Amino acid sequence: MATQQTGESSSPQTGAQAVVANAIDPARRPDVLLRVRRAEGHEPSAWWMIGAFVGVSAAVIVLLSFVPGGH
């Protein structure tokens, strides 16, 4: 489908086309606080997430050991 290069198109722009044309990078949205797009090779290792899971799980088990009524 050919479009005119003069700034006018022969058919009106649909809602989906307007959304795509006005889209911004989700990682750069101001309402997203913790999402960061990093360069290739600078992503955090999956082992950090595994270690965080193990650490939080151990902390929960230790804290729950102080709750009375357990065996």
Side-chain angles (χ1 to χ4, degrees), residues 42-55:
H42 291 278
E43 298 90 358
S45 171
W47 288 107
W48 284 107
M49 298 300 125
I50 295 169
F53 174 78
V54 170

Side-chain angles (χ1 to χ4, degrees), residues 11-67:
S11 63
Q13 194 175 40
T14 66
Q17 290 171 333
V19 168
V20 171
N22 297 329
I24 60 172
D25 184 3
R28 307 288 186 246
R29 284 180 17 200
D31 61 333
V32 178
L33 298 177
L34 300 177
R35 189 181 312 166
V36 178
R37 179 166 292 167
R38 292 181 172 85
E40 184 69 30
H42 291 278
E43 298 90 358
S45 171
W47 288 107
W48 284 107
M49 298 300 125
I50 295 169
F53 174 78
V54 170
V56 169
S57 300
V60 168
I61 291 170
V62 168
L63 290 174
L64 286 176
S65 69
F66 292 110
V67 175

